[in-house]
Amino acid sequence: MFDSDLTWMRLALAEAARGRGFVEPNPMVGAALVRDGRLVGLGHHARFGGAHAEVEALRAAGALARGATLYVTLEPCCHFGKTPPCTEAVIAAGVARVVAAQRDPFPKVAGGGIARLREAGLVVEVGLDGEAAVRLNAPYFKRLLTGRPYVTAKWAMTLDGKTAAASGDSKWISSPRSRALVHESRGRMDGIVVGIGTALADDPELTARPAGPRRAARIVLDSAARLPREGKLARSARAVPVWVAVNARAPEERLEGLRELGCELLPFEGSGPVPVGPLLDELGRRGLTNVLVEGGGRVLGTFLDAGAVDAVDVYVAPLLEGGSHPFTPARGVGRSLMSDALRVERHDVSVIDGDVRVQGTLAQPWLRIE
């Protein structure tokens, strides 16, 4: 492979990212068709159930696809799903060479697409910029490999690490533009998690405003079913899903009251805090790919202690609160030695109207790059 191959693959990766929030639980995929050094077709998977990236690129190229090289960010599918197999469309179009960034671990593909293309006489190369392709689709890979959704922890804090003033007031730490970006993030999520403490203190809506491509279920960790019937979440449960995670501590009359309002109950065993692992297993079974954990501090700390956070999205405002109180982002057990602290990797830093936004990933032992 040549340097030009990498250039075209990176174009395909950028094209793939246009599907973020629209295609889940499918992966984001981009494709570029190149003939005689010239781009003749470009496409991406634009919506769940719609045409795949390869088909869109072939459609754009038309007859120019014959003899071309197809750069695609994930192995072409070889099975009938919501659409016909992409492998057959690629073969029929007369494509001569396929460069795929990564194999697809989906059991109905899993190398079968590559084998089918080679069987038809196409030159197939796999692995170009594979790490970037896997990280682009980390939520898809995690759910396939572990059965659990990809978890992003989000919070806003002052420069001295406070998520609220001593009184509990937190409106507003971050700038209007930062809060708008949070709404954009919510609009790409399948679920948003908060603890009952946050629900009681802030009476949040937990919706994306304006609406995004996805409508997230609002998930409240509420062992004793204390979510107020008159609160914004319970009152809007029939319009936007509200799932309340409860356990044996919850009185039946409270459970029935929440059911009457349209809340769905997620029962767990025991009488302590809702267990993170079983919760994520259940969310994965329900088809969630991306979950945003918004707090409060006890919930974020519990997720961090459980090793269940895959990425962080943090807004640091140029404010100093100065108090000595427990309103901090994470209040779990933590690490006794700084050398054992979790390290944010592959981070990106930007400044939004004075706020510093830090996005990055934590160690992901489930991640498999071939």
Side-chain angles (χ1 to χ4, degrees):
M1 289 185 274
F2 304 97
D3 289 345
S4 59
D5 287 329
L6 185 58
T7 298
W8 294 121
M9 182 59 76
R10 288 182 174 168
L11 175 63
L13 285 165
E15 181 72 8
R18 295 178 62 190
R20 192 184 307 276
F22 294 90
V23 302
E24 292 83 356
N26 283 355
M28 293 174 279
V29 182
L33 273 163
V34 177
R35 179 173 166 175
D36 299 327
R38 183 170 65 91
L39 180 69
V40 295
L42 187 65
H44 69 283
H45 184 33
R47 63 177 179 84
F48 179 71
H52 287 190
E54 301 93 321
V55 172
E56 292 288 1
L58 289 169
R59 186 177 297 154
L64 294 175
R66 185 162 299 278
T69 294
L70 171 67
Y71 298 89
V72 62
T73 59
L74 195 66
E75 175 183 5
C77 67
C78 54
H79 67 291
F80 281 91
K82 291 187 176 295
T83 62
C86 290
T87 50
E88 303 315 299
V90 172
I91 294 166
V95 171
R97 175 176 175 242
V98 174
V99 180
Q102 184 61 225
R103 295 177 186 271
D104 188 347
F106 185 62
K108 291 184 178 180
V109 184
I114 293 166
R116 172 68 184 116
L117 293 171
R118 285 176 173 158
E119 178 187 84
L122 281 73
V123 175
V124 181
E125 298 160 23
V126 184
L128 180 63
D129 221 7
E131 182 175 352
V134 171
R135 294 195 182 280
L136 173 71
N137 275 312
Y140 169 76
F141 278 82
K142 184 185 180 186
R143 185 157 172 262
L144 272 183
L145 298 173
T146 72
R148 293 180 174 181
Y150 190 85
V151 176
T152 299
K154 168 265 165 186
W155 67 87
M157 66 183 185
T158 62
L159 202 58
D160 55 339
K162 304 295 172 41
T163 56
S167 65
D169 174 62
S170 61
K171 293 183 175 58
W172 293 101
I173 292 174
S174 54
S175 68
R177 177 58 185 150
S178 293
R179 298 198 299 275
L181 291 173
V182 170
H183 282 281
E184 286 184 17
S185 297
R186 286 179 177 177
R188 295 191 296 267
M189 294 289 159
D190 299 307
I192 300 171
V193 177
V194 297
I196 183 59
T198 296
L200 292 172
D202 297 344
D203 192 21
E205 293 182 53
L206 300 181
T207 54
R209 301 183 295 277
R214 309 193 74 73
R215 187 178 69 167
R218 285 93 50 88
I219 303 158
V220 185
L221 308 189
D222 184 14
S223 300
R226 293 188 292 148
L227 188 69
R229 295 186 54 151
E230 67 279 6
K232 293 176 183 176
L233 286 168
R235 287 191 289 109
S236 62
R238 296 195 185 281
V240 181
V242 173
W243 300 347
V244 185
V246 299
N247 62 23
R249 294 174 56 199
E252 183 56 39
E253 62 271 18
R254 289 184 183 168
L255 298 177
E256 186 56 34
L258 292 174
R259 287 193 197 99
E260 289 175 357
L261 290 169
C263 297
E264 185 170 356
L265 305 177
L266 308 182
F268 292 92
E269 296 180 354
S271 57
V274 173
V276 171
L279 172 70
L280 292 176
D281 289 338
E282 177 62 21
L283 298 183
R285 282 191 292 270
R286 288 169 173 258
L288 277 65
T289 300
N290 282 287
V291 167
L292 186 67
V293 178
E294 291 208 14
R298 287 190 179 90
V299 169
L300 282 167
T302 300
F303 270 76
L304 287 169
D305 289 341
V309 175
D310 300 299
V312 296
D313 189 1
V314 182
Y315 296 84
V316 183
L319 301 174
L320 293 169
E321 192 274 339
S324 178
H325 53 75
F327 291 110
T328 57
R331 297 177 59 193
V333 174
R335 271 66 180 170
S336 58
L337 296 175
M338 193 58 70
S339 59
D340 295 330
L342 299 174
R343 180 168 294 277
V344 177
E345 303 170 347
R346 305 180 66 85
H347 55 275
D348 179 64
V349 180
S350 55
V351 179
I352 301 102
D353 290 350
D355 297 339
V356 177
R357 185 186 191 185
V358 181
Q359 297 170 279
T361 58
L362 299 179
Q364 298 171 353
W366 49 266
L367 197 59
R368 184 175 71 201
I369 299 172
E370 298 179 351

